[in-house]
Every structure is written in structure tokens, then in C-alpha cells.
Amino acid sequence: MKDIAQRAGVSESAVSFALNDRPGVSEVTRDRVRRVAEQLGWRPSTAARALSGEGAATVGLVVARPAATLGVDSFFLQLISGIQEVLAERQLGLLFQVVEDVRAECAVYRRWWAEHRVDGVLVVDPRTDDPRPELLDELGLPGVVIGGLPDTHPNLSQVRADDAGAMAAVVGRLYELGHRRVVHIAGLDSLAHTDRRIRSLRAEADRRGLTGVRSVTTDYSDTEGAAVTRRVLGGAAAPTALVYDNDVMAAAGAAVVAGLGLSVPGDVSIVSWEDSVLCRMVHPWLTALSRDTIAFGRLAARELTALLDGGAARSVPMPLPRLIERESTAAPPLTRA
């Protein structure tokens, strides 16, 4: 500020008024100060802004998953891309951290709040029994839940995904094709969206009188996806259709089917919950639920910036994912129908 004041020929207090859009200087002086600041490459100090109560110009995102499984999940990369687009428009930074569990995530929120590191947070992977909403209330930290909590929460905005509707659509289509034995190879059992998918699968099976339908939870990795695939196909009354909670497990499952001397979809049909390039790199191409994950991230970031601007918390639904049918689904063989 001293350098800018000297070059612009004004006082340091005038520089402060000009750069912080405060009254007390003329528009001519304000423009001159800003031009000098730009020439000197000046940028506002987020630490100083936080100490003065003006905010950190940063939002936080913590992911409580093992780094090994997170690294192969295309969903988060696309989600963050969408988030970053909106934050860049607002000149907001993104502070990202990976931790082992929700307990560690809560500790990060407490530290960020105490250090004034972030103005708000984006919360992913809502849990069936989630301690984070109450903590964010306690801290007074604005937040947006991506995916939707089991219940509404008055102080958090939510961008909700219709997991139940999407599962109903998948089961309905497989039923139309003639499948009566379906195994859902799910993700982490502690996640709210896993619970919604499992409940929807059971409800659809009960509605149609299907007894050969069930879910098996995993850690989302290709290793567990492959292991569960091998186990269910080797058991009695093997399924004629497999629904995987991500593209990585679906691709691993297709490889296991081939390794067992079976064919997709001749012996077993495969559906991936997430569509990606990977679904079009295996043979045959995988039927998948497609949603605009980048738009998901954009919407979540816009809801958070709305909260930071003083808006009220609200719940916003995402469109129902679209089932894209490719070569991995067909009617089951008569010998296994």
C-alpha cells in the first residue's frame, strides 16, 4: 500500500478506501489508485481480509474417502471442474482436502473456522447418520450439501440427486427385457445415496414380486467390484443382470465375466450408474446412467455463492439421470431366465 500511495501521489488511507470500494475518495483518485495497483501487480491478501472480517475469498471441500479409491472415480473430477468454473467467475479460491473419515472431516471444519480459512463449504457424500449439519450450524459456517441429506435441514442448502427414481428406471428397464435376477453392486453402505438406491431396488423388486434381487456393498474400487462379481456369478441362481454404482466397478465386472468364459450381454447384462469415457472403452460398450456432473458442480457452487451473498438456504433438485442403452444389456438367455 505504501508503494501504491507513493506512485499515485495519495495517502495510504486513500489507497485503502480505493481498493476496498469504500467512500472517502473521488472516482478520479479511485481509478488512479487501481491503475497503479494493477501496474504493480497488487492482489488483495486473503489473510488480511479474514482478519478484518471481510472474508477469506475461499470455499472449502473435504472428501472423506480413501485416496486410492478416490483417484479412480471420474465423478469427483467432473464435479470439481464444474465447481471451479463458478468460483473462478467470482474470483473465489477452492481449498481441497482428502481425509480418511467423517470424524477427520469435522476436525478440518473446526480448524478452518478457527483460522478463518474459508467463507463456506461444499459437503459431499451425505451420510445416513451425518454429524456434519449440526457442526456447521454450531460454527455458523454456510454450506451446501451435494447429493442430499436423508432429511431437509433449515440452515444448509442442498442439491439433491434423485437416486430412488434413477434406480426405479434401471430396474424397470431390466424387467422389461425379461430379467428377474438382478444384483446391485453398490458403494459404501454408510452413504445416504447408497441407502436410497438399495431401498428403491427393494421397493421395485417387491412391487414386481421379484425374489432374486439384492444389493452387495463395496468400497467403490475395481478390486472389490471384481471380487463381488466373481462371487455372485459363481453362486447358485446366478444373476442375469448386474447394476454397478460406478463405471470403474462396471468395467472391472465386465472383465471378470469374460474371464469366467461368459459373455456380455449373452449371459449377463451390465449397467453402470455413472457414464464416462471408460464405459465406451470396454467391449461391449456399457449401458449407463448419464447425468451432467459438471452442471451438478456448477449448481452446487452457485447455491453456495448465493448463501455467501446473504440468500436463504434451499433445496434444489437435479434432473433425473438418463439411461443410455448400449451393447451391454439385452434380454436374458432362456436357460437362465
Side-chain angles (χ1 to χ4, degrees):
M1 288 180 63
K2 183 177 180 179
D3 292 340
I4 294 171
Q6 288 177 347
R7 183 169 295 193
V10 298
S11 67
E12 291 183 33
S13 60
V15 172
S16 177
F17 291 152
L19 295 179
N20 290 291
D21 287 324
R22 293 175 178 172
V25 294
S26 69
E27 286 304 312
V28 173
T29 299
R30 193 184 307 277
D31 290 342
R32 183 165 73 252
V33 167
R34 287 176 173 171
R35 284 198 303 271
V36 171
E38 186 175 348
Q39 291 168 3
L40 293 176
W42 176 85
R43 293 292 182 274
S45 165
T46 55
R49 288 169 60 90
L51 288 172
S52 64
E54 295 180 18
T58 302
V59 301
L61 172 61
V62 184
V63 178
R65 285 196 190 184
T69 60
L70 182 63
V72 296
D73 196 330
S74 63
F75 171 82
F76 279 104
L77 181 59
Q78 295 182 58
L79 184 76
I80 292 171
S81 295
I83 290 169
Q84 190 59 45
E85 281 187 25
V86 174
L87 297 185
E89 293 170 1
R90 293 286 297 262
Q91 297 186 335
L92 294 171
L94 178 64
L95 186 56
F96 178 70
Q97 189 163 341
V98 178
V99 296
E100 285 297 318
D101 52 35
V102 171
R103 188 173 184 177
E105 181 177 344
C106 289
V108 170
Y109 292 150
R110 290 186 182 278
R111 186 174 70 252
W112 283 352
W113 171 80
E115 296 174 354
H116 303 283
R117 297 285 297 279
V118 298
D119 298 323
V121 294
L122 294 156
V123 181
V124 295
D125 285 344
R127 263 60 178 181
T128 51
D129 184 15
D130 206 318
R132 295 172 294 178
E134 288 187 10
L135 173 61
L136 295 177
D137 274 352
E138 175 191 326
L139 300 177
L141 197 57
V144 172
V145 178
I146 299 173
L149 292 161
D151 302 307
T152 58
H153 200 277
N155 299 314
L156 289 175
S157 285
Q158 299 188 45
V159 179
R160 305 185 70 90
D162 189 359
D163 294 284
M167 179 60 82
V170 170
V171 175
R173 181 54 184 149
L174 291 174
Y175 185 84
E176 288 175 357
L177 289 171
H179 294 278
R180 300 296 181 264
R181 294 196 298 276
V182 179
V183 172
H184 167 217
I185 300 180
L188 298 165
D189 58 2
S190 61
L191 300 182
H193 67 253
T194 302
D195 182 65
R196 286 193 293 267
R197 294 173 191 180
I198 291 174
R199 287 176 181 271
S200 178
L201 180 78
R202 290 172 180 166
E204 292 301 311
D206 290 345
R207 190 165 70 84
R208 292 177 168 84
L210 304 178
T211 58
V213 176
R214 62 192 173 103
S215 296
V216 182
T217 56
T218 70
D219 66 356
Y220 280 114
S221 71
D222 57 327
T223 303
E224 285 204 11
V228 171
T229 302
R230 193 172 290 106
R231 186 167 71 246
V232 299
L233 290 179
T240 62
L242 299 169
V243 180
Y244 295 86
D245 262 4
N246 69 13
D247 53 344
V248 173
M249 291 197 297
V256 167
V257 172
L260 293 174
L262 304 174
S263 71
V264 177
D267 296 296
V268 60
S269 288
I270 288 180
V271 178
S272 168
W273 195 275
E274 296 290 345
D275 192 19
S276 72
V277 174
L278 183 58
C279 293
R280 301 184 296 278
M281 293 179 67
V282 299
H283 180 74
W285 285 14
L286 301 181
T287 293
L289 280 167
S290 177
R291 57 181 172 179
D292 191 341
T293 307
I294 293 177
F296 206 171
R298 288 194 204 103
L299 180 57
R302 288 195 183 105
E303 290 302 311
L304 183 55
T305 57
L307 287 179
L308 298 181
D309 289 339
R314 63 178 190 161
S315 180
V316 183
M318 282 293 293
L320 187 70
R322 180 167 58 99
L323 185 64
I324 299 178
E325 294 193 56
R326 300 191 179 105
E327 299 132 347
S328 69
T329 48
L334 293 177
T335 56
R336 301 180 65 194

